[in-house]
Amino acid sequence: ESPNSTPIPLPSASFGGDAKSLTIAPYIIDQIDFKENIHLLVGGRLDSIDFKDKLTNRERDDSEFSPMFGLLYAPTEQLSVYGSFSRAFAQPSPRVIGQKSPEKSFQLETGIKKHFPNINGEVTLAIYQLSRENIPIADDSGFTQQIGNQRSRGIEIDFAAKPTSNSRAIATYAFNNATLTNFKESIMISLAPPAFAVFDRSGNRPAFAPAHILNFWLNHNLSERWSIGGGGNFVSSQFIAEDNLFEIESRLTLDATVAYRLRKILLRLNLRNLTNKITNHWF
């Protein structure tokens, strides 16, 4: 090997850094009331990021203003409708190889909230779209690069109620349709001589992004000192990498809790996965 040649980094054996990132982010938010039932929220945040990595001798100074708008309309005391738009700006991890461009995101959301006085509860339904650019993704060779863009579209439903003075019930469901809108993965196919192949993963699902998540819980106060609760958690199947070759099956676990209040001390026993197994193949 000649003295001027550049060594080829090997996966999991060539990472190093001594990085520091300083972020200054002043923000301002103002609520404007047009009527008693119409409210406008206007704001913004100015991010100034100073990034330095002594080991790789890399420096970046980035700044950007991220606006935020929200509108709430309540035609009745039990019903309200809202919509919002926001942007975000963040410095990536020091593990990123290459330019280390700031990560940007854009989110649109609209929803409705309904209150039910007879059960002292409310339901919130939200529909959203979140787009992220320059997201860091570890490829098959073990290197993290900012070569991915991602879009998530979905709905969220939240339910909370207090049907009696001694009980409370909550349930949340989320559907997330996440897609890699742009991601080309570089895979090492030979060490001697070093050779790489590029595979287009655009259209695949991001890693560890299940489509369905459901949580439910019921808590009941037996007395001033004793309370019990129980519920469950469901997560649908998910991929472990952006190539979508290997999948973790869906799971459902059931949990419970028992609590006892002794003056100002609360003693709680949490029981996780009561059945000691995972029920799958729901979706």
Side-chain angles (χ1 to χ4, degrees), residues 215-237:
N215 295 282
F216 53 94
W217 190 264
L218 176 64
N219 197 82
H220 183 72
N221 296 327
L222 299 174
S223 65
E224 293 183 358
R225 296 183 181 274
W226 288 97
S227 64
I228 59 174
N233 172 263
F234 171 79
V235 178
S236 65
S237 60

Side-chain angles (χ1 to χ4, degrees), residues 40-59:
L40 176 65
L41 198 65
V42 181
R45 168 171 160 158
L46 177 62
D47 289 273
S48 179
I49 302 175
D50 180 15
F51 176 84
K52 295 180 180 179
D53 190 335
K54 295 181 180 179
L55 188 62
T56 60
N57 197 29
R58 294 179 181 271
E59 295 186 12

Side-chain angles (χ1 to χ4, degrees), residues 11 28 50-51 92 122 169 195-196 215 219 238 280:
I28 182 172
D50 180 15
F51 176 84
E122 62 183 24
F196 292 84
N215 295 282
N219 197 82
Q238 53 191 305
N280 49 32

Side-chain angles (χ1 to χ4, degrees), residues 17-267:
D18 184 8
K20 180 177 67 175
S21 180
L22 175 64
T23 302
I24 300 176
Y27 66 91
I28 182 172
I29 297 177
D30 185 26
Q31 179 174 315
I32 304 173
D33 299 331
F34 293 100
K35 294 182 179 180
E36 293 183 356
N37 60 347
I38 301 179
H39 310 281
L40 176 65
L41 198 65
V42 181
R45 168 171 160 158
L46 177 62
D47 289 273
S48 179
I49 302 175
D50 180 15
F51 176 84
K52 295 180 180 179
D53 190 335
K54 295 181 180 179
L55 188 62
T56 60
N57 197 29
R58 294 179 181 271
E59 295 186 12
R60 281 190 67 99
D61 292 317
D62 299 284
S63 62
E64 184 164 320
F65 179 77
S66 300
M68 184 272 291
F69 302 95
L71 181 64
L72 173 68
Y73 171 60
T76 67
E77 293 183 356
Q78 286 78 36
L79 180 66
S80 60
V81 182
Y82 72 91
S84 65
F85 162 79
S86 62
R87 293 196 315 185
F89 177 82
Q91 178 67 38
S93 167
R95 291 178 59 87
V96 170
I97 296 175
Q99 190 66 22
K100 292 184 173 63
S101 301
E103 179 182 329
K104 299 181 180 181
S105 62
F106 311 85
Q107 180 167 346
L108 289 169
E109 182 175 332
T110 183
I112 184 171
K113 178 181 290 187
K114 180 71 170 66
H115 181 71
F116 298 91
N118 55 332
I119 59 172
N120 193 19
E122 62 183 24
V123 175
T124 303
L125 170 65
I127 303 174
Y128 67 89
Q129 173 173 305
L130 174 62
S131 300
R132 299 171 58 196
E133 299 178 358
N134 299 327
I135 59 176
I137 299 177
D139 61 22
D140 187 72
S141 302
F143 299 109
T144 301
Q145 303 180 63
Q146 284 185 287
I147 50 177
N149 295 339
Q150 178 179 327
R151 183 189 65 228
S152 298
R153 293 171 175 169
I155 62 173
E156 294 181 357
I157 303 175
D158 296 322
F159 169 78
K162 194 174 182 182
T164 68
S165 59
N166 295 325
S167 62
R168 180 173 177 83
I170 60 173
T172 61
Y173 168 75
F175 167 73
N176 181 29
N177 182 18
T179 304
L180 292 167
T181 55
N182 182 26
F183 175 48
K184 293 180 175 62
E185 183 177 22
S186 178
I187 297 179
M188 180 179 290
I189 58 177
S190 175
L191 285 173
F196 292 84
V198 178
F199 295 86
D200 190 353
R201 308 297 190 191
S202 302
N204 284 9
R205 190 171 189 86
F208 305 108
H212 306 275
I213 297 178
L214 173 65
N215 295 282
F216 53 94
W217 190 264
L218 176 64
N219 197 82
H220 183 72
N221 296 327
L222 299 174
S223 65
E224 293 183 358
R225 296 183 181 274
W226 288 97
S227 64
I228 59 174
N233 172 263
F234 171 79
V235 178
S236 65
S237 60
Q238 53 191 305
F239 295 105
I240 66 171
E242 277 70 20
D243 55 17
N244 289 183
L245 295 179
F246 300 98
E247 187 176 14
I248 302 175
E249 294 182 337
S250 59
R251 62 173 177 84
L252 171 67
T253 56
L254 301 177
D255 309 318
T257 185
V258 179
Y260 178 76
R261 182 173 297 279
L262 181 62
R263 296 182 181 179
K264 295 184 179 181
I265 301 175
L266 180 64
L267 304 176

